[in-house]
Amino acid sequence: MAKKVVVIGAGVSGLISLKCRVDEGLEPTCFEKTEDIGGLWRFKENVEDGRASIYKSVITDTSKEMSCFSDFPMPEHFPNFLHNSKLLDYFRIVAKKFDLLKYIQFQTTTLIVKKCPDFSSSDQWEIVTKSNGKEQSEVFDAVMVCSGHHILPHIPLQSFPGIEKFKGQYFHSRQYKHPEGFEGKRILTIGIGNSASDIAVELSKKAAQVFLSTRQGSWVLSHISGDGYPWDMLFHTHFRSMLRNVLPRMVVKWMMEQQMNQWFNHENYGLKPQNKYLMKEPVLNDDLPSRLLYGAIKVKSRVKELTEASAIFEGGTMEEDIDVIVFATGYAFSFPFLEDSLVKVENNMVSLYKYIYPPHLEKPTLACMGLIQPLGSIFPTVELQARWVTRVFKGLCTLPSESIMMADIIKRNEKRIDLFGESQSQILQTNYIDYLDELALEIGAKPDVLSLLLKDPKLAMKLYFGPCNSYQYRLVGPGKWEGARSAIFTQKQRILKPLKTRSLKTSFDFPVSFLLKILGLLAVVVAFFFNFSGSSLSA
């Protein structure tokens, strides 16, 4: 059993990893480079080397009920989508509640993580840190790397001929903090992810004109979904996940296109994805379509060439008098304190078993936390990772052989490419609920909906048709939380609490939700019938 474990970084992944260690009755050590917790979500006015950076207006794209720790719901008065400062408040509440700060050594930079000379027999790691100008070496039984992957900016300047001639200002989105200073400018934003869209929208309220250049296009979703509930409360359910898994791929992708176009026709707005059948992460932005309608933002195709003050796009169009270019082109992976052989990124593939473990180690005593991009909230994802890793380190769970792990890595990568494509930005993409269930199975925390249907049918219906939030992974198994069932049934109350700020007379609506669920079940039966019939005919 790994008794002495080090956690590198006190951001979200680090805090969750610390809590999981404490939950198992262990005392971890955490090295944090900066003076405070929060990592990516702690805004600072100045960009710091080796630290993640966000702009002042960043708001979460996943709702509070889908993003909280599984045994500690966010305060009901918190808004459903949180400003970065509010999310940091939650992390501070968690750190205080579970007394996590005492395990963290702040302003301590991790310089080297390397195997001890007797690693083949001890499986131990030597960690070299620097604090107050002094270097120190210490040996640990296991390592949880929680330093994040939004630090090293990826700026493919070689893909932009003429950039050396451009006389305006250009920078990576990591450098952007707020729209002040961009008044009256003509700005070109390159990229179509969440950061690119947020920055383009914010700048368009100050700038003379903003252009949004995209190679592939993207689906755009609103944070608000059916009946005004947060989008992920309706999108991420086991029922919908099952449909996506059992229905023919073309049907699923057609359904996805219909859903995405309900808000607005993406083709009319120049945003329709080039390969609309890839299940790529959509952009979450409530304002982008309206800014396009206003003409404040104009969508352009890929930049073909840059001149001193102009941008020439695919198709031959040109925009002149460009003052600023913002490269919202993502990040590269960087773990400067690790040996290159430990975490390999080759041929657009991360060689980590289940995105966590290097498969070639004699024993699984090093884990990379949060090195994943799920189609959902990262927080429950990392929490399940940490719960599993903690039990592996304790010897309560085991990993398969290296050959089995490598086969899984290859198969998982092939599936990822099939679903999400080969873009560099999709290297860490994975299906959300499938991955959560996979991790929960490893630790025995996945509830059995079929057995619950007999024992607690009301709860079973909630688990299957309701939002797949983290509480359900505390109903059974190690780490079971007695408040999990109650948290599931009171989530609507916490969603509506911050919205109910005006007294109104209670209204009663016709209860159609149960009817919709019955129709959904019938749809599943029909789908299975046609699949079975098709299989029988082909046989």
Side-chain angles (χ1 to χ4, degrees):
M1 180 177 82
K3 295 180 180 179
K4 191 178 179 183
V5 177
V6 64
V7 175
I8 300 174
V12 179
S13 297
L15 289 176
I16 291 174
S17 297
L18 281 175
K19 180 182 176 299
C20 289
R21 295 295 296 173
V22 173
D23 288 346
E24 290 280 355
L26 303 170
E27 290 200 7
T29 298
C30 177
F31 296 136
E32 166 55 38
K33 181 177 183 178
T34 69
E35 74 284 359
D36 203 354
I37 64 172
L40 172 72
W41 293 98
R42 181 164 58 88
F43 171 80
K44 296 196 76 172
E45 188 66 39
N46 299 314
V47 178
E48 299 175 358
D49 288 340
R51 182 180 180 273
S53 175
I54 56 173
Y55 38 98
K56 192 172 185 178
S57 61
V58 165
I59 293 175
T60 60
D61 285 325
T62 55
S63 63
K64 67 176 182 180
E65 285 298 301
M66 301 294 279
S67 302
C68 63
F69 287 21
S70 58
D71 57 354
F72 196 71
M74 292 191 191
E76 64 176 13
H77 67 274
F78 271 32
N80 284 285
F81 293 98
L82 280 66
H83 183 264
N84 58 84
S85 60
K86 204 70 173 176
L87 185 61
L88 185 58
D89 287 345
Y90 174 66
F91 294 151
R92 295 196 192 285
I93 294 171
V94 169
K96 183 178 180 180
K97 168 73 176 177
F98 297 99
D99 198 18
L100 301 180
L101 295 182
K102 68 181 182 182
Y103 303 107
I104 305 173
Q105 298 181 25
F106 291 106
Q107 295 185 316
T108 302
T109 301
T110 301
L111 300 177
I112 301 172
V113 174
K114 63 180 180 180
K115 298 175 182 177
C116 287
D118 62 345
F119 183 82
S120 59
S121 59
S122 70
D123 301 304
Q124 291 180 318
W125 299 85
E126 181 184 356
I127 313 297
V128 180
T129 59
K130 186 175 183 179
S131 180
N132 297 320
K134 296 180 180 179
E135 290 190 13
Q136 183 175 339
S137 177
E138 194 171 353
V139 174
F140 290 89
D141 297 322
V143 182
M144 298 176 81
V145 180
C146 305
S147 55
H149 57 95
H150 293 93
I151 295 175
L152 185 64
H154 172 64
I155 312 180
L157 295 181
Q158 70 279 4
S159 299
F160 297 87
I163 185 66
E164 70 282 354
K165 303 175 188 175
F166 183 67
K167 292 188 175 181
Q169 178 187 11
Y170 69 86
F171 56 87
H172 190 269
S173 57
R174 163 181 166 81
Q175 305 291 128
Y176 176 79
K177 293 295 179 178
H178 44 66
E180 282 69 37
F182 295 95
E183 293 86 352
K185 304 286 188 181
R186 287 171 60 83
I187 302 171
L188 171 61
T189 303
I190 294 175
I192 192 63
N194 285 312
S195 294
S197 302
D198 285 350
I199 292 170
V201 165
E202 189 165 80
L203 287 174
S204 72
K205 298 171 184 178
K206 297 277 187 177
Q209 182 65 58
V210 172
F211 303 98
L212 187 61
S213 170
T214 170
R215 292 179 304 164
Q216 303 289 339
S218 177
W219 299 120
V220 180
L221 278 178
S222 170
H223 289 83
I224 305 168
S225 192
D227 289 333
Y229 286 97
W231 74 275
D232 50 356
M233 300 289 289
L234 279 71
F235 190 87
H236 292 305
T237 71
H238 274 95
F239 172 65
R240 290 196 175 201
S241 179
M242 179 277 299
L243 286 181
R244 288 190 285 267
N245 287 333
V246 303
L247 291 176
R249 178 71 62 82
M250 291 300 294
V251 174
V252 173
K253 291 179 175 179
W254 176 83
M255 290 169 61
M256 178 70 75
E257 181 177 3
Q258 300 308 304
Q259 181 181 357
M260 296 298 173
N261 277 326
Q262 281 182 358
W263 188 21
F264 67 94
N265 187 307
H266 284 64
E267 185 172 4
N268 291 345
Y269 283 67
L271 291 168
K272 182 178 178 180
Q274 184 172 319
N275 189 340
K276 63 184 180 181
Y277 293 120
L278 289 178
M279 305 288 287
K280 294 175 70 173
E281 182 180 21
V283 167
L284 270 294
N285 197 296
D286 301 310
D287 299 323
L288 181 58
S290 60
R291 303 309 293 179
L292 291 170
L293 277 177
Y294 303 158
I297 299 175
K298 295 182 179 179
V299 178
K300 306 293 293 187
S301 55
R302 182 181 69 87
V303 173
K304 186 178 179 181
E305 184 182 354
L306 295 166
T307 67
E308 291 183 353
S310 302
I312 303 168
F313 301 91
E314 251 181 10
T317 63
M318 176 188 289
E319 296 295 344
E320 299 179 332
D321 302 322
I322 301 296
D323 300 299
V324 180
I325 301 176
V326 182
F327 287 93
T329 45
Y331 293 85
F333 307 119
S334 175
F335 301 97
F337 48 81
L338 289 179
E339 298 174 5
D340 291 339
S341 61
L342 288 174
V343 181
K344 296 180 180 179
V345 181
E346 298 174 332
N347 302 318
N348 275 7
M349 181 176 74
V350 179
S351 293
L352 292 172
Y353 179 59
K354 297 186 189 290
Y355 297 99
I356 301 173
Y357 296 103
H360 53 277
L361 292 178
E362 291 89 334
K363 286 189 178 179
T365 54
L366 183 140
C368 294
M369 314 303 297
L371 193 60
I372 192 169
Q373 192 173 335
L375 290 175
S377 177
I378 186 66
F379 309 136
T381 308
V382 175
E383 185 181 27
L384 277 170
Q385 285 185 334
R387 290 172 66 186
W388 181 35
V389 167
T390 298
R391 295 185 68 78
V392 169
F393 285 174
K394 287 186 71 175
L396 299 173
C397 295
T398 58
L399 299 187
S401 66
E402 180 180 350
S403 60
I404 291 176
M405 287 193 283
M406 280 306 305
D408 180 86
I409 290 170
I410 293 169
K411 183 179 179 181
R412 193 179 297 268
N413 189 60
E414 290 171 349
K415 183 177 180 181
R416 177 191 62 79
I417 292 173
D418 182 46
L419 287 173
F420 307 113
E422 297 186 87
S423 169
Q424 192 264 349
S425 63
Q426 309 300 319
I427 289 178
L428 302 177
Q429 203 83 65
T430 189
N431 273 331
Y432 183 54
I433 294 179
D434 291 349
Y435 186 67
L436 293 183
D437 284 349
E438 189 178 343
L439 295 177
L441 276 172
E442 293 287 351
I443 59 174
K446 184 180 183 298
D448 185 346
V449 176
L450 287 178
S451 65
L452 274 176
L453 200 56
L454 299 175
K455 301 174 185 176
D456 193 343
K458 190 175 180 182
L459 177 60
M461 295 291 279
K462 282 282 187 184
L463 296 185
Y464 198 66
F465 292 102
C468 178
N469 44 32
S470 58
Y471 312 129
Q472 62 183 261
Y473 300 112
R474 290 284 184 177
L475 289 166
V476 297
K480 179 180 177 180
W481 175 45
E482 293 303 323
R485 188 180 188 280
S486 174
I488 291 169
F489 281 98
T490 56
Q491 58 189 314
K492 182 177 179 181
Q493 172 184 319
R494 291 187 297 277
I495 294 169
L496 297 180
K497 175 68 175 178
L499 301 174
K500 299 269 187 180
T501 55
R502 173 181 167 225
S503 298
L504 294 171
K505 292 181 179 179
T506 305
S507 60
F508 297 94
D509 296 322
F510 183 76
V512 297
S513 58
F514 183 75
L515 177 60
L516 290 175
K517 290 174 183 177
I518 295 300
L519 290 174
L521 283 172
L522 288 173
V524 175
V525 171
V526 171
F528 273 120
F529 174 76
F530 278 110
N531 278 348
F532 177 77
S533 298
S535 300
S536 300
L537 287 172
S538 60

